[in-house]
Amino acid sequence: MSMRMSYLLTLVLAGALSSAAAQPAAAPEQVARGEYLARIGNCGCHTAPGGADFAGGRAIDSLFGTFYAPNITADADTGIGRWSADDFWQAMHNGKRADGSAMYPACPYPNYTHVHREDIDAIYAYLRSLPPVQQQNRAHELSFPASARPLVSLWQWLFFKPGSFQDDPSQTPAWNRGAYLVQGLGHCSAGDGSAPGARIRNWYAPSLYSSAEAGLQAWPVEKGAALLRHGKAEEASAMGPMADVVFQSLQYLTEADAMAMATYLHALPDHDTEPAVRLLPVRQADLPAVMQRGQKIYEEHCQDCHGRDGEGSLAAPALAGNRAVVLADPTNLLNVIRDGGYPPSTGGNPRPYGMPPFGFLNDVELAALATYIRTSWGNAGTPVSSANVTRKD
C-alpha cells in the first residue's frame, strides 16, 4: 500500500471514529428537554452511589446475578463518546449496542422502544452536553445461562419486538400522553404493572391492574398524580425501591405529565391477581398464641405512633384498612418492620416521617407482629408463619 493510500485510509478511519464527536452542538432547548426526559426515564440508574453522574458502576440485582450499569457519559474510550445519534437510537429502540451486539434487558429497552425518535435524540443531546468521565465499565456477575451473552440475541428473537407508540384516537390527549410515558420512559411494566406483580430487590412490586394492590383505579386522578410526584398522598406512601424511583425520577415530572400518567393508570382494567407467593399456613391451634405474642409486641413498640386500633397519627400511617399491609405477599410489610424506611424527600413532602428498624425481632416475633397487624381492626390479611420470613443477607 502506498504512503498516500495509507494516509487516506487513516483519515477515513479517524473520521468514522470521530463522527459522533464532530456533530454540531445541540440547541439549548433540545438539551433541556433531554435532561427532563432522562430524569423521568430514570437514567440515574447509570450513576453509582457517590459516583460521577452517568459514569456507570451502579449494581442492579436480579434473579440471574448482578448487572453493573455502564458508563454513558461522552467519554470516547469508556463511555458512548464515539456513538452517533443513530447508534444511541439503535440501542434504545432495538436493544443493540453500537458494535451490533445484543443488550441485556436490564436496560429497559423493551419499554424504551416505544419512545419517539425525537425524544431519544433529545436524551442523547443532553448526555453529550455533559462532561465526559473516564471510568471503565465493570463486568456483570451473572450465573449461566445469563452469563452467555450470545444467548441474549436468542432472548430478543423470542421475547422482544421493537415497536413505536401510537396514539389511540378513541382516548383523550391526557390518556395518550400518560400511556406513552408509562409504557415508554416510565417503564412501569419493567417492575410491575401486570398480574401478579414482580420481585424487585427483595421487594414485591404490586400489580397496577389491581386496585387491591397498587392500582389507581379507585383513586381520584389528582391523588394518583400526587403520589407519583411527591411519594406521598394522604395515607399512601412510596417505600422501598419505589421511593428511590420517586426521588430519582418521578418527582421531576411536570404537573401535566403526572396528571397524564395518573389518568392512564386510573383507566387500566381492574382485576384480582394471583398471589405471587404461597404462604405456609399457621396452624389454627397455634393462632391464638401467635396473635397474643403479636399484640404484645405491637403495644410495646408500635402503638404510640400507629394508634391502639391501627388508626395512625400525624407521624405514622394508618394500618387499619391499609392495602399495603394485607397484600397476599407480605414481603413489603416484613421489610418495613425489620429494616425501617422513609418515603422520599420531595418538593411536596420535604420532611417525611420515617419508620425505625425493628431488626432486633427474631423470625417468630416478626411473623407474629405481621400476623397481628394483618388480621386486626378489620384487616383480612393471611397470617404469616415464621417459615415465610425471608432473611436478607
Side-chain angles (χ1 to χ4, degrees):
M1 181 183 295
S2 69
M3 183 177 295
R4 178 178 176 81
M5 285 297 294
S6 178
Y7 176 70
L8 289 174
L9 181 59
T10 299
L11 288 179
V12 170
L13 289 175
L17 290 174
S18 63
S19 60
Q23 294 184 65
E29 297 81 7
Q30 186 186 34
V31 171
R33 177 166 179 76
E35 179 179 10
Y36 173 71
L37 296 171
R39 283 189 183 277
I40 65 174
N42 206 13
C43 295
C45 282
H46 290 270
T47 303
D53 289 347
F54 306 111
R58 187 184 188 96
I60 303 170
D61 295 328
S62 77
L63 295 175
F64 308 102
T66 303
F67 293 92
Y68 292 95
N71 186 339
I72 57 169
T73 72
D75 183 68
D77 296 321
T78 63
I80 60 171
R82 300 186 192 275
W83 288 28
S84 67
D86 287 340
D87 293 331
F88 192 71
W89 165 253
Q90 172 86 346
M92 297 297 97
H93 187 71
N94 295 317
K96 304 289 186 184
R97 293 175 51 83
D99 61 7
S101 61
M103 292 167 53
Y104 282 107
C107 170
Y109 60 82
N111 295 91
Y112 291 159
T113 189
H114 300 295
V115 180
H116 298 321
R117 175 66 190 256
E118 59 266 27
D119 284 344
I120 295 297
D121 285 349
I123 295 173
Y124 173 79
Y126 167 63
L127 294 174
R128 297 276 303 172
S129 73
L130 300 175
V133 178
Q134 188 171 54
Q135 178 170 293
Q136 291 293 336
N137 291 313
R138 182 172 176 178
H140 305 313
E141 298 172 358
L142 307 174
S143 58
F144 185 81
S147 59
R149 192 168 191 121
L151 294 181
V152 182
S153 295
L154 176 62
W155 180 91
Q156 289 186 341
W157 182 75
L158 290 171
F159 301 110
F160 170 59
K161 182 179 180 181
S164 58
F165 180 83
Q166 301 293 328
D167 282 353
D168 183 341
S170 69
Q171 297 289 348
T172 64
W175 185 97
N176 279 301
R177 175 65 176 171
Y180 173 69
L181 293 173
V182 168
Q183 296 175 20
L185 286 172
H187 56 280
C188 300
S189 63
D192 55 12
S194 60
R199 289 284 183 147
I200 305 292
R201 287 164 40 195
N202 292 317
W203 287 72
Y204 174 63
S207 173
L208 293 169
Y209 282 94
S210 172
S211 58
E213 292 206 352
L216 303 183
Q217 294 88 343
W219 287 17
V221 171
E222 293 78 8
K223 181 179 175 182
L227 183 63
L228 292 173
R229 291 183 77 199
H230 307 316
K232 175 74 175 175
E234 299 176 10
E235 77 285 355
S237 298
M239 299 286 279
M242 190 60 194
D244 294 341
V245 171
V246 174
F247 180 75
Q248 296 173 4
S249 175
L250 296 181
Q251 70 164 312
Y252 299 102
L253 284 167
T254 64
E255 184 175 357
D257 277 350
M259 286 290 291
M261 291 179 70
T263 296
Y264 172 72
L265 294 172
H266 176 83
L268 288 176
D270 187 4
H271 55 73
D272 293 333
T273 63
E274 286 294 320
V277 297
R278 299 290 181 181
L279 296 183
L280 297 175
V282 176
R283 290 196 316 165
Q284 196 65 30
D286 295 336
L287 191 55
V290 170
M291 288 291 289
Q292 185 177 19
R293 183 192 296 266
Q295 181 177 8
K296 181 179 180 182
I297 297 171
Y298 182 86
E299 290 173 349
E300 289 179 355
H301 300 292
C302 312
Q303 181 171 292
D304 287 349
C305 290
H306 290 283
R308 178 179 177 181
D309 298 314
E311 69 273 17
S313 66
L314 180 63
L319 301 177
N322 188 321
R323 64 179 181 174
V325 165
V326 297
L327 285 171
D329 186 333
T331 298
N332 297 351
L333 176 63
L334 296 171
N335 284 346
V336 170
I337 295 173
R338 179 177 50 222
D339 303 321
Y342 281 79
S345 175
T346 61
N349 190 32
R351 292 183 177 85
Y353 291 104
M355 168 74 182
F358 288 83
F360 55 84
L361 297 176
N362 61 37
D363 289 0
V364 172
E365 293 168 331
L366 180 57
L369 177 57
T371 295
Y372 178 75
I373 293 171
R374 285 164 60 85
T375 59
S376 298
W377 323 301
N379 287 343
T382 306
V384 179
S385 165
S386 59
N388 289 113
V389 176
T390 302
R391 285 280 162 184
K392 295 181 179 180
D393 295 330

